[in-house]
Amino acid sequence: DEADLTYELRAGIFHQACLNAIRLTGFMGTIHDFCGLPQEERKTLLEGAPPYGIFIDEISRANVSRVFGELITLLEPDKRLGAPNELVLTLPASQRRFGVPRNLHVIGTMNTADRSVEALDTALRRRFEFVEFAPKPNVLTDELIDGIDVRQLLRTINQRLEVLYDRDHLIGHAFFTPLKEDPSLDRLKKIFEFEVLPLLQEYFH
């Protein structure tokens, strides 16, 4: 009855990714210890360090404030450990020093069609570069399926979507990749019936 409520502090995924990136420098201590090194020594260790990546799928659907919290400023290139304006913070709960090494790459993926569902956080947008990956019809089967050129079919659908809707809602080539293993008209019909047409109906209400 007299016991106090206590919480156990555990390092999260982002913290672990930072630690893994630091370990690639050859430094085997903690992030706290690494942040305690002289700035020039940190810079030297990080200069030749291999890159380390953390991937966040569907980042546009994430609660960004919960993913990064107040540490989002540390993602900026000039605020990274080893950078000219590096920042070392003290975490409020653990009172341990923390920083983001410059060899850590944070890669987020998102479907451009989701932009209308939930707008990206402005703070997040300012700290990331954006690279567009457009649909690639050329990766699809070049076989004609009952006289239908699937590559040209996808190009035509997307050309019309770009005119009637916008370029953020193009159909991806992934819908049609199963045709590489099963290039049959029946499979193509199922792709349209259960995947493509319902999506188009959603686009155009």
Side-chain angles (χ1 to χ4, degrees), residues 114-162:
D114 291 339
R115 286 181 186 169
S116 59
V117 177
E118 185 170 343
L120 271 182
D121 187 284
T122 306
L124 183 70
R125 204 177 262 287
R126 287 190 289 111
R127 289 169 174 88
F128 278 80
E129 296 176 1
F130 285 79
V131 180
E132 181 183 27
F133 287 89
K136 296 181 179 179
N138 289 338
V139 305
L140 300 175
T141 180
D142 56 359
E143 293 183 48
L144 292 181
I145 300 176
D146 204 26
I148 299 169
D149 183 341
V150 178
R151 294 179 175 184
Q152 188 56 41
L153 178 67
L154 179 60
R155 288 191 193 99
T156 303
I157 290 173
N158 282 334
Q159 285 168 359
R160 294 180 183 178
L161 276 174
E162 191 167 351

mmCIF file of all heavy atoms in Angstrom, residues 114-162:
data_model
loop_
_atom_site.group_PDB
_atom_site.id
_atom_site.type_symbol
_atom_site.label_atom_id
_atom_site.label_comp_id
_atom_site.label_asym_id
_atom_site.label_seq_id
_atom_site.Cartn_x
_atom_site.Cartn_y
_atom_site.Cartn_z
ATOM 1 N N ASP A 114 -1.786 10.190 -50.028
ATOM 2 C CA ASP A 114 -2.171 10.375 -48.628
ATOM 3 C C ASP A 114 -2.030 11.817 -48.159
ATOM 4 O O ASP A 114 -2.401 12.149 -47.051
ATOM 5 C CB ASP A 114 -1.322 9.481 -47.709
ATOM 6 C CG ASP A 114 -1.647 8.009 -47.902
ATOM 7 O OD1 ASP A 114 -2.742 7.735 -48.408
ATOM 8 O OD2 ASP A 114 -0.815 7.169 -47.559
ATOM 9 N N ARG A 115 -1.471 12.680 -48.985
ATOM 10 C CA ARG A 115 -1.288 14.077 -48.557
ATOM 11 C C ARG A 115 -2.610 14.738 -48.210
ATOM 12 O O ARG A 115 -2.684 15.567 -47.325
ATOM 13 C CB ARG A 115 -0.589 14.873 -49.664
ATOM 14 C CG ARG A 115 0.880 14.544 -49.797
ATOM 15 C CD ARG A 115 1.507 15.382 -50.896
ATOM 16 N NE ARG A 115 2.881 14.993 -51.136
ATOM 17 C CZ ARG A 115 3.604 15.405 -52.160
ATOM 18 N NH1 ARG A 115 3.065 16.217 -53.046
ATOM 19 N NH2 ARG A 115 4.836 15.019 -52.319
ATOM 20 N N SER A 116 -3.662 14.368 -48.949
ATOM 21 C CA SER A 116 -4.959 14.976 -48.680
ATOM 22 C C SER A 116 -5.606 14.396 -47.430
ATOM 23 O O SER A 116 -6.484 14.991 -46.839
ATOM 24 C CB SER A 116 -5.896 14.763 -49.876
ATOM 25 O OG SER A 116 -6.058 13.385 -50.122
ATOM 26 N N VAL A 117 -5.152 13.175 -47.028
ATOM 27 C CA VAL A 117 -5.712 12.545 -45.838
ATOM 28 C C VAL A 117 -5.188 13.230 -44.589
ATOM 29 O O VAL A 117 -5.924 13.570 -43.680
ATOM 30 C CB VAL A 117 -5.349 11.039 -45.803
ATOM 31 C CG1 VAL A 117 -5.859 10.402 -44.527
ATOM 32 C CG2 VAL A 117 -5.923 10.332 -47.014
ATOM 33 N N GLU A 118 -3.900 13.454 -44.571
ATOM 34 C CA GLU A 118 -3.302 14.084 -43.396
ATOM 35 C C GLU A 118 -2.077 14.874 -43.832
ATOM 36 O O GLU A 118 -1.105 14.289 -44.316
ATOM 37 C CB GLU A 118 -2.908 13.010 -42.370
ATOM 38 C CG GLU A 118 -2.397 13.604 -41.065
ATOM 39 C CD GLU A 118 -2.237 12.549 -39.983
ATOM 40 O OE1 GLU A 118 -2.805 11.469 -40.118
ATOM 41 O OE2 GLU A 118 -1.539 12.825 -39.014
ATOM 42 N N ALA A 119 -2.115 16.161 -43.717
ATOM 43 C CA ALA A 119 -1.012 17.009 -44.164
ATOM 44 C C ALA A 119 0.235 16.737 -43.325
ATOM 45 O O ALA A 119 0.150 16.490 -42.129
ATOM 46 C CB ALA A 119 -1.403 18.485 -44.043
ATOM 47 N N LEU A 120 1.376 16.787 -43.986
ATOM 48 C CA LEU A 120 2.627 16.572 -43.262
ATOM 49 C C LEU A 120 2.902 17.742 -42.324
ATOM 50 O O LEU A 120 2.640 18.893 -42.646
ATOM 51 C CB LEU A 120 3.791 16.462 -44.250
ATOM 52 C CG LEU A 120 4.123 15.084 -44.782
ATOM 53 C CD1 LEU A 120 5.323 15.192 -45.705
ATOM 54 C CD2 LEU A 120 4.435 14.122 -43.653
ATOM 55 N N ASP A 121 3.431 17.402 -41.177
ATOM 56 C CA ASP A 121 3.816 18.403 -40.205
ATOM 57 C C ASP A 121 4.851 19.343 -40.839
ATOM 58 O O ASP A 121 5.817 18.898 -41.458
ATOM 59 C CB ASP A 121 4.409 17.688 -38.984
ATOM 60 C CG ASP A 121 4.687 18.642 -37.846
ATOM 61 O OD1 ASP A 121 5.686 19.374 -37.949
ATOM 62 O OD2 ASP A 121 3.923 18.645 -36.863
ATOM 63 N N THR A 122 4.661 20.647 -40.682
ATOM 64 C CA THR A 122 5.566 21.624 -41.298
ATOM 65 C C THR A 122 6.987 21.460 -40.780
ATOM 66 O O THR A 122 7.958 21.579 -41.539
ATOM 67 C CB THR A 122 5.080 23.061 -41.006
ATOM 68 O OG1 THR A 122 3.720 23.178 -41.417
ATOM 69 C CG2 THR A 122 5.922 24.074 -41.747
ATOM 70 N N ALA A 123 7.126 21.173 -39.493
ATOM 71 C CA ALA A 123 8.456 20.987 -38.908
ATOM 72 C C ALA A 123 9.170 19.804 -39.547
ATOM 73 O O ALA A 123 10.382 19.831 -39.762
ATOM 74 C CB ALA A 123 8.338 20.776 -37.398
ATOM 75 N N LEU A 124 8.404 18.772 -39.872
ATOM 76 C CA LEU A 124 8.982 17.597 -40.516
ATOM 77 C C LEU A 124 9.374 17.926 -41.948
ATOM 78 O O LEU A 124 10.450 17.562 -42.412
ATOM 79 C CB LEU A 124 7.968 16.455 -40.492
ATOM 80 C CG LEU A 124 8.425 15.116 -41.066
ATOM 81 C CD1 LEU A 124 9.455 14.479 -40.161
ATOM 82 C CD2 LEU A 124 7.241 14.192 -41.251
ATOM 83 N N ARG A 125 8.516 18.642 -42.646
ATOM 84 C CA ARG A 125 8.746 18.981 -44.050
ATOM 85 C C ARG A 125 10.043 19.786 -44.229
ATOM 86 O O ARG A 125 10.766 19.617 -45.212
ATOM 87 C CB ARG A 125 7.555 19.796 -44.561
ATOM 88 C CG ARG A 125 7.356 19.736 -46.042
ATOM 89 C CD ARG A 125 6.108 20.505 -46.415
ATOM 90 N NE ARG A 125 4.973 19.652 -46.597
ATOM 91 C CZ ARG A 125 4.807 18.859 -47.644
ATOM 92 N NH1 ARG A 125 5.727 18.813 -48.584
ATOM 93 N NH2 ARG A 125 3.749 18.102 -47.758
ATOM 94 N N ARG A 126 10.320 20.665 -43.259
ATOM 95 C CA ARG A 126 11.521 21.518 -43.367
ATOM 96 C C ARG A 126 12.814 20.737 -43.153
ATOM 97 O O ARG A 126 13.894 21.226 -43.485
ATOM 98 C CB ARG A 126 11.446 22.658 -42.342
ATOM 99 C CG ARG A 126 10.448 23.733 -42.695
ATOM 100 C CD ARG A 126 10.588 24.947 -41.799
ATOM 101 N NE ARG A 126 10.139 24.706 -40.433
ATOM 102 C CZ ARG A 126 10.941 24.649 -39.382
ATOM 103 N NH1 ARG A 126 12.240 24.789 -39.540
ATOM 104 N NH2 ARG A 126 10.463 24.439 -38.179
ATOM 105 N N ARG A 127 12.725 19.547 -42.569
ATOM 106 C CA ARG A 127 13.940 18.815 -42.207
ATOM 107 C C ARG A 127 14.221 17.609 -43.098
ATOM 108 O O ARG A 127 15.135 16.845 -42.828
ATOM 109 C CB ARG A 127 13.852 18.394 -40.736
ATOM 110 C CG ARG A 127 13.980 19.589 -39.801
ATOM 111 C CD ARG A 127 13.638 19.266 -38.365
ATOM 112 N NE ARG A 127 13.912 20.411 -37.499
ATOM 113 C CZ ARG A 127 13.054 21.377 -37.244
ATOM 114 N NH1 ARG A 127 11.862 21.360 -37.792
ATOM 115 N NH2 ARG A 127 13.392 22.368 -36.439
ATOM 116 N N PHE A 128 13.412 17.434 -44.133
ATOM 117 C CA PHE A 128 13.612 16.312 -45.034
ATOM 118 C C PHE A 128 13.723 16.780 -46.467
ATOM 119 O O PHE A 128 13.126 17.772 -46.851
ATOM 120 C CB PHE A 128 12.424 15.334 -44.931
ATOM 121 C CG PHE A 128 12.511 14.376 -43.768
ATOM 122 C CD1 PHE A 128 12.161 14.784 -42.498
ATOM 123 C CD2 PHE A 128 12.944 13.082 -43.957
ATOM 124 C CE1 PHE A 128 12.240 13.917 -41.428
ATOM 125 C CE2 PHE A 128 13.027 12.201 -42.893
ATOM 126 C CZ PHE A 128 12.673 12.618 -41.630
ATOM 127 N N GLU A 129 14.516 16.044 -47.254
ATOM 128 C CA GLU A 129 14.504 16.221 -48.700
ATOM 129 C C GLU A 129 13.439 15.282 -49.259
ATOM 130 O O GLU A 129 13.206 14.210 -48.704
ATOM 131 C CB GLU A 129 15.870 15.839 -49.289
ATOM 132 C CG GLU A 129 17.008 16.726 -48.821
ATOM 133 C CD GLU A 129 18.349 16.248 -49.358
ATOM 134 O OE1 GLU A 129 18.363 15.230 -50.103
ATOM 135 O OE2 GLU A 129 19.358 16.861 -49.031
ATOM 136 N N PHE A 130 12.795 15.675 -50.342
ATOM 137 C CA PHE A 130 11.735 14.858 -50.916
ATOM 138 C C PHE A 130 12.157 14.347 -52.297
ATOM 139 O O PHE A 130 12.592 15.126 -53.144
ATOM 140 C CB PHE A 130 10.432 15.663 -51.022
ATOM 141 C CG PHE A 130 9.746 15.850 -49.703
ATOM 142 C CD1 PHE A 130 10.197 16.811 -48.805
ATOM 143 C CD2 PHE A 130 8.674 15.051 -49.345
ATOM 144 C CE1 PHE A 130 9.585 16.971 -47.566
ATOM 145 C CE2 PHE A 130 8.054 15.204 -48.118
ATOM 146 C CZ PHE A 130 8.514 16.168 -47.229
ATOM 147 N N VAL A 131 12.041 13.045 -52.481
ATOM 148 C CA VAL A 131 12.382 12.410 -53.756
ATOM 149 C C VAL A 131 11.150 11.655 -54.255
ATOM 150 O O VAL A 131 10.610 10.811 -53.545
ATOM 151 C CB VAL A 131 13.564 11.426 -53.588
ATOM 152 C CG1 VAL A 131 13.896 10.778 -54.926
ATOM 153 C CG2 VAL A 131 14.780 12.128 -53.005
ATOM 154 N N GLU A 132 10.716 11.993 -55.465
ATOM 155 C CA GLU A 132 9.516 11.358 -56.020
ATOM 156 C C GLU A 132 9.880 10.066 -56.748
ATOM 157 O O GLU A 132 10.854 10.011 -57.495
ATOM 158 C CB GLU A 132 8.821 12.306 -56.996
ATOM 159 C CG GLU A 132 7.553 11.722 -57.590
ATOM 160 C CD GLU A 132 6.913 12.626 -58.613
ATOM 161 O OE1 GLU A 132 7.641 13.426 -59.240
ATOM 162 O OE2 GLU A 132 5.697 12.536 -58.807
ATOM 163 N N PHE A 133 9.099 9.008 -56.489
ATOM 164 C CA PHE A 133 9.239 7.753 -57.222
ATOM 165 C C PHE A 133 7.942 7.531 -57.992
ATOM 166 O O PHE A 133 6.937 7.111 -57.423
ATOM 167 C CB PHE A 133 9.519 6.597 -56.256
ATOM 168 C CG PHE A 133 10.909 6.617 -55.678
ATOM 169 C CD1 PHE A 133 11.179 7.304 -54.506
ATOM 170 C CD2 PHE A 133 11.940 5.958 -56.328
ATOM 171 C CE1 PHE A 133 12.455 7.335 -53.986
ATOM 172 C CE2 PHE A 133 13.219 5.989 -55.810
ATOM 173 C CZ PHE A 133 13.489 6.671 -54.639
ATOM 174 N N ALA A 134 7.993 7.838 -59.262
ATOM 175 C CA ALA A 134 6.794 7.737 -60.103
ATOM 176 C C ALA A 134 6.565 6.277 -60.501
ATOM 177 O O ALA A 134 7.475 5.451 -60.443
ATOM 178 C CB ALA A 134 6.975 8.595 -61.353
ATOM 179 N N PRO A 135 5.330 5.940 -60.900
ATOM 180 C CA PRO A 135 5.063 4.589 -61.399
ATOM 181 C C PRO A 135 5.992 4.249 -62.567
ATOM 182 O O PRO A 135 6.286 5.099 -63.406
ATOM 183 C CB PRO A 135 3.608 4.660 -61.860
ATOM 184 C CG PRO A 135 3.014 5.770 -61.061
ATOM 185 C CD PRO A 135 4.117 6.771 -60.883
ATOM 186 N N LYS A 136 6.446 2.990 -62.606
ATOM 187 C CA LYS A 136 7.374 2.556 -63.651
ATOM 188 C C LYS A 136 6.758 1.406 -64.457
ATOM 189 O O LYS A 136 6.952 0.233 -64.120
ATOM 190 C CB LYS A 136 8.696 2.106 -63.019
ATOM 191 C CG LYS A 136 9.428 3.225 -62.303
ATOM 192 C CD LYS A 136 10.725 2.729 -61.714
ATOM 193 C CE LYS A 136 11.473 3.847 -61.014
ATOM 194 N NZ LYS A 136 12.730 3.378 -60.403
ATOM 195 N N PRO A 137 6.033 1.733 -65.513
ATOM 196 C CA PRO A 137 5.412 0.680 -66.333
ATOM 197 C C PRO A 137 6.422 -0.304 -66.920
ATOM 198 O O PRO A 137 6.096 -1.464 -67.151
ATOM 199 C CB PRO A 137 4.700 1.465 -67.446
ATOM 200 C CG PRO A 137 4.503 2.839 -66.883
ATOM 201 C CD PRO A 137 5.687 3.075 -65.989
ATOM 202 N N ASN A 138 7.665 0.148 -67.152
ATOM 203 C CA ASN A 138 8.657 -0.706 -67.811
ATOM 204 C C ASN A 138 9.065 -1.913 -66.981
ATOM 205 O O ASN A 138 9.657 -2.855 -67.515
ATOM 206 C CB ASN A 138 9.898 0.110 -68.183
ATOM 207 C CG ASN A 138 9.618 1.079 -69.327
ATOM 208 O OD1 ASN A 138 8.678 0.876 -70.091
ATOM 209 N ND2 ASN A 138 10.414 2.116 -69.422
ATOM 210 N N VAL A 139 8.783 -1.918 -65.676
ATOM 211 C CA VAL A 139 9.162 -3.069 -64.845
ATOM 212 C C VAL A 139 8.119 -4.186 -64.966
ATOM 213 O O VAL A 139 8.352 -5.287 -64.473
ATOM 214 C CB VAL A 139 9.341 -2.676 -63.355
ATOM 215 C CG1 VAL A 139 10.340 -1.550 -63.214
ATOM 216 C CG2 VAL A 139 8.008 -2.302 -62.710
ATOM 217 N N LEU A 140 6.997 -3.901 -65.603
ATOM 218 C CA LEU A 140 5.932 -4.899 -65.731
ATOM 219 C C LEU A 140 6.225 -5.865 -66.879
ATOM 220 O O LEU A 140 7.115 -5.631 -67.698
ATOM 221 C CB LEU A 140 4.586 -4.203 -65.959
ATOM 222 C CG LEU A 140 4.140 -3.242 -64.856
ATOM 223 C CD1 LEU A 140 2.866 -2.533 -65.256
ATOM 224 C CD2 LEU A 140 3.960 -3.975 -63.539
ATOM 225 N N THR A 141 5.466 -6.942 -66.920
ATOM 226 C CA THR A 141 5.651 -7.932 -67.969
ATOM 227 C C THR A 141 5.454 -7.313 -69.349
ATOM 228 O O THR A 141 4.585 -6.462 -69.532
ATOM 229 C CB THR A 141 4.661 -9.109 -67.778
ATOM 230 O OG1 THR A 141 4.866 -10.057 -68.832
ATOM 231 C CG2 THR A 141 3.220 -8.651 -67.791
ATOM 232 N N ASP A 142 6.305 -7.741 -70.279
ATOM 233 C CA ASP A 142 6.166 -7.215 -71.640
ATOM 234 C C ASP A 142 5.315 -8.146 -72.512
ATOM 235 O O ASP A 142 5.156 -7.921 -73.706
ATOM 236 C CB ASP A 142 7.532 -6.986 -72.280
ATOM 237 C CG ASP A 142 8.384 -8.258 -72.275
ATOM 238 O OD1 ASP A 142 7.908 -9.276 -71.755
ATOM 239 O OD2 ASP A 142 9.518 -8.204 -72.786
ATOM 240 N N GLU A 143 4.771 -9.204 -71.862
ATOM 241 C CA GLU A 143 3.896 -10.114 -72.602
ATOM 242 C C GLU A 143 2.524 -9.470 -72.810
ATOM 243 O O GLU A 143 2.007 -8.785 -71.930
ATOM 244 C CB GLU A 143 3.697 -11.428 -71.830
ATOM 245 C CG GLU A 143 4.938 -12.282 -71.708
ATOM 246 C CD GLU A 143 4.628 -13.595 -70.983
ATOM 247 O OE1 GLU A 143 3.636 -14.250 -71.353
ATOM 248 O OE2 GLU A 143 5.376 -13.929 -70.051
ATOM 249 N N LEU A 144 1.948 -9.733 -73.973
ATOM 250 C CA LEU A 144 0.573 -9.303 -74.215
ATOM 251 C C LEU A 144 -0.363 -10.312 -73.551
ATOM 252 O O LEU A 144 -0.177 -11.522 -73.688
ATOM 253 C CB LEU A 144 0.277 -9.228 -75.715
ATOM 254 C CG LEU A 144 1.003 -8.148 -76.520
ATOM 255 C CD1 LEU A 144 0.559 -8.205 -77.976
ATOM 256 C CD2 LEU A 144 0.757 -6.765 -75.934
ATOM 257 N N ILE A 145 -1.313 -9.828 -72.793
ATOM 258 C CA ILE A 145 -2.271 -10.708 -72.128
ATOM 259 C C ILE A 145 -3.591 -10.618 -72.882
ATOM 260 O O ILE A 145 -4.301 -9.611 -72.792
ATOM 261 C CB ILE A 145 -2.439 -10.298 -70.644
ATOM 262 C CG1 ILE A 145 -1.092 -10.405 -69.929
ATOM 263 C CG2 ILE A 145 -3.491 -11.152 -69.964
ATOM 264 C CD1 ILE A 145 -1.107 -9.934 -68.493
ATOM 265 N N ASP A 146 -3.851 -11.655 -73.650
ATOM 266 C CA ASP A 146 -5.051 -11.675 -74.504
ATOM 267 C C ASP A 146 -5.124 -10.407 -75.364
ATOM 268 O O ASP A 146 -6.180 -9.788 -75.507
ATOM 269 C CB ASP A 146 -6.303 -11.818 -73.633
ATOM 270 C CG ASP A 146 -7.476 -12.410 -74.416
ATOM 271 O OD1 ASP A 146 -7.230 -13.130 -75.398
ATOM 272 O OD2 ASP A 146 -8.623 -12.128 -74.036
ATOM 273 N N GLY A 147 -3.962 -10.018 -75.888
ATOM 274 C CA GLY A 147 -3.885 -8.844 -76.756
ATOM 275 C C GLY A 147 -3.750 -7.512 -76.028
ATOM 276 O O GLY A 147 -3.683 -6.456 -76.654
ATOM 277 N N ILE A 148 -3.679 -7.536 -74.674
ATOM 278 C CA ILE A 148 -3.601 -6.296 -73.884
ATOM 279 C C ILE A 148 -2.154 -6.034 -73.465
ATOM 280 O O ILE A 148 -1.496 -6.896 -72.867
ATOM 281 C CB ILE A 148 -4.493 -6.391 -72.629
ATOM 282 C CG1 ILE A 148 -5.951 -6.592 -73.020
ATOM 283 C CG2 ILE A 148 -4.338 -5.139 -71.764
ATOM 284 C CD1 ILE A 148 -6.855 -6.949 -71.853
ATOM 285 N N ASP A 149 -1.654 -4.858 -73.797
ATOM 286 C CA ASP A 149 -0.322 -4.428 -73.386
ATOM 287 C C ASP A 149 -0.454 -3.763 -72.002
ATOM 288 O O ASP A 149 -0.937 -2.630 -71.900
ATOM 289 C CB ASP A 149 0.249 -3.441 -74.411
ATOM 290 C CG ASP A 149 1.677 -3.003 -74.079
ATOM 291 O OD1 ASP A 149 2.097 -3.154 -72.921
ATOM 292 O OD2 ASP A 149 2.354 -2.488 -74.983
ATOM 293 N N VAL A 150 -0.042 -4.475 -70.954
ATOM 294 C CA VAL A 150 -0.231 -3.989 -69.581
ATOM 295 C C VAL A 150 0.545 -2.698 -69.330
ATOM 296 O O VAL A 150 0.067 -1.798 -68.646
ATOM 297 C CB VAL A 150 0.189 -5.080 -68.557
ATOM 298 C CG1 VAL A 150 0.045 -4.556 -67.129
ATOM 299 C CG2 VAL A 150 -0.646 -6.327 -68.739
ATOM 300 N N ARG A 151 1.720 -2.603 -69.905
ATOM 301 C CA ARG A 151 2.528 -1.385 -69.729
ATOM 302 C C ARG A 151 1.790 -0.171 -70.289
ATOM 303 O O ARG A 151 1.698 0.875 -69.634
ATOM 304 C CB ARG A 151 3.883 -1.547 -70.414
ATOM 305 C CG ARG A 151 4.773 -2.609 -69.797
ATOM 306 C CD ARG A 151 6.080 -2.715 -70.550
ATOM 307 N NE ARG A 151 6.992 -3.651 -69.910
ATOM 308 C CZ ARG A 151 8.232 -3.883 -70.319
ATOM 309 N NH1 ARG A 151 8.707 -3.258 -71.393
ATOM 310 N NH2 ARG A 151 9.001 -4.741 -69.679
ATOM 311 N N GLN A 152 1.287 -0.325 -71.502
ATOM 312 C CA GLN A 152 0.578 0.788 -72.132
ATOM 313 C C GLN A 152 -0.733 1.077 -71.406
ATOM 314 O O GLN A 152 -1.171 2.225 -71.305
ATOM 315 C CB GLN A 152 0.315 0.483 -73.609
ATOM 316 C CG GLN A 152 -0.246 1.653 -74.394
ATOM 317 C CD GLN A 152 0.631 2.898 -74.312
ATOM 318 O OE1 GLN A 152 1.856 2.820 -74.380
ATOM 319 N NE2 GLN A 152 -0.005 4.054 -74.138
ATOM 320 N N LEU A 153 -1.352 0.033 -70.901
ATOM 321 C CA LEU A 153 -2.592 0.184 -70.134
ATOM 322 C C LEU A 153 -2.362 1.087 -68.920
ATOM 323 O O LEU A 153 -3.125 2.026 -68.664
ATOM 324 C CB LEU A 153 -3.095 -1.188 -69.682
ATOM 325 C CG LEU A 153 -4.355 -1.228 -68.815
ATOM 326 C CD1 LEU A 153 -5.574 -0.769 -69.594
ATOM 327 C CD2 LEU A 153 -4.580 -2.645 -68.277
ATOM 328 N N LEU A 154 -1.274 0.802 -68.163
ATOM 329 C CA LEU A 154 -0.963 1.615 -66.980
ATOM 330 C C LEU A 154 -0.626 3.050 -67.367
ATOM 331 O O LEU A 154 -1.068 4.000 -66.716
ATOM 332 C CB LEU A 154 0.197 0.985 -66.204
ATOM 333 C CG LEU A 154 0.648 1.731 -64.948
ATOM 334 C CD1 LEU A 154 -0.493 1.853 -63.941
ATOM 335 C CD2 LEU A 154 1.846 1.039 -64.299
ATOM 336 N N ARG A 155 0.142 3.219 -68.454
ATOM 337 C CA ARG A 155 0.483 4.584 -68.898
ATOM 338 C C ARG A 155 -0.781 5.370 -69.244
ATOM 339 O O ARG A 155 -0.919 6.537 -68.874
ATOM 340 C CB ARG A 155 1.392 4.519 -70.132
ATOM 341 C CG ARG A 155 2.806 4.054 -69.857
ATOM 342 C CD ARG A 155 3.702 4.269 -71.072
ATOM 343 N NE ARG A 155 4.957 3.550 -70.921
ATOM 344 C CZ ARG A 155 5.215 2.368 -71.473
ATOM 345 N NH1 ARG A 155 4.298 1.779 -72.240
ATOM 346 N NH2 ARG A 155 6.368 1.787 -71.280
ATOM 347 N N THR A 156 -1.696 4.734 -69.941
ATOM 348 C CA THR A 156 -2.926 5.409 -70.371
ATOM 349 C C THR A 156 -3.794 5.802 -69.177
ATOM 350 O O THR A 156 -4.305 6.928 -69.109
ATOM 351 C CB THR A 156 -3.725 4.500 -71.324
ATOM 352 O OG1 THR A 156 -2.900 4.140 -72.425
ATOM 353 C CG2 THR A 156 -4.964 5.218 -71.838
ATOM 354 N N ILE A 157 -3.958 4.874 -68.232
ATOM 355 C CA ILE A 157 -4.739 5.180 -67.020
ATOM 356 C C ILE A 157 -4.135 6.387 -66.305
ATOM 357 O O ILE A 157 -4.851 7.317 -65.911
ATOM 358 C CB ILE A 157 -4.776 3.966 -66.071
ATOM 359 C CG1 ILE A 157 -5.626 2.843 -66.669
ATOM 360 C CG2 ILE A 157 -5.350 4.371 -64.714
ATOM 361 C CD1 ILE A 157 -5.577 1.550 -65.872
ATOM 362 N N ASN A 158 -2.820 6.374 -66.150
ATOM 363 C CA ASN A 158 -2.164 7.457 -65.406
ATOM 364 C C ASN A 158 -2.186 8.783 -66.149
ATOM 365 O O ASN A 158 -2.279 9.849 -65.527
ATOM 366 C CB ASN A 158 -0.731 7.058 -65.040
ATOM 367 C CG ASN A 158 -0.694 6.117 -63.850
ATOM 368 O OD1 ASN A 158 -1.606 6.128 -63.015
ATOM 369 N ND2 ASN A 158 0.342 5.311 -63.743
ATOM 370 N N GLN A 159 -2.096 8.749 -67.466
ATOM 371 C CA GLN A 159 -2.204 9.991 -68.241
ATOM 372 C C GLN A 159 -3.580 10.629 -68.028
ATOM 373 O O GLN A 159 -3.693 11.847 -67.880
ATOM 374 C CB GLN A 159 -1.975 9.703 -69.728
ATOM 375 C CG GLN A 159 -0.517 9.459 -70.089
ATOM 376 C CD GLN A 159 -0.346 8.889 -71.489
ATOM 377 O OE1 GLN A 159 -1.329 8.654 -72.212
ATOM 378 N NE2 GLN A 159 0.899 8.651 -71.879
ATOM 379 N N ARG A 160 -4.607 9.802 -67.993
ATOM 380 C CA ARG A 160 -5.959 10.320 -67.799
ATOM 381 C C ARG A 160 -6.166 10.793 -66.361
ATOM 382 O O ARG A 160 -6.842 11.804 -66.125
ATOM 383 C CB ARG A 160 -6.986 9.257 -68.182
ATOM 384 C CG ARG A 160 -6.944 8.953 -69.671
ATOM 385 C CD ARG A 160 -7.951 7.911 -70.092
ATOM 386 N NE ARG A 160 -7.821 7.615 -71.516
ATOM 387 C CZ ARG A 160 -8.540 6.729 -72.162
ATOM 388 N NH1 ARG A 160 -9.466 6.033 -71.518
ATOM 389 N NH2 ARG A 160 -8.365 6.516 -73.435
ATOM 390 N N LEU A 161 -5.597 10.060 -65.411
ATOM 391 C CA LEU A 161 -5.707 10.466 -64.006
ATOM 392 C C LEU A 161 -5.031 11.819 -63.776
ATOM 393 O O LEU A 161 -5.529 12.656 -63.022
ATOM 394 C CB LEU A 161 -5.077 9.414 -63.088
ATOM 395 C CG LEU A 161 -5.950 8.222 -62.707
ATOM 396 C CD1 LEU A 161 -5.147 7.199 -61.917
ATOM 397 C CD2 LEU A 161 -7.158 8.679 -61.892
ATOM 398 N N GLU A 162 -3.894 12.018 -64.424
ATOM 399 C CA GLU A 162 -3.172 13.277 -64.248
ATOM 400 C C GLU A 162 -3.994 14.457 -64.753
ATOM 401 O O GLU A 162 -3.968 15.540 -64.170
ATOM 402 C CB GLU A 162 -1.824 13.214 -64.975
ATOM 403 C CG GLU A 162 -0.907 14.363 -64.630
ATOM 404 C CD GLU A 162 0.520 14.134 -65.084
ATOM 405 O OE1 GLU A 162 0.847 13.015 -65.523
ATOM 406 O OE2 GLU A 162 1.310 15.091 -65.004
#
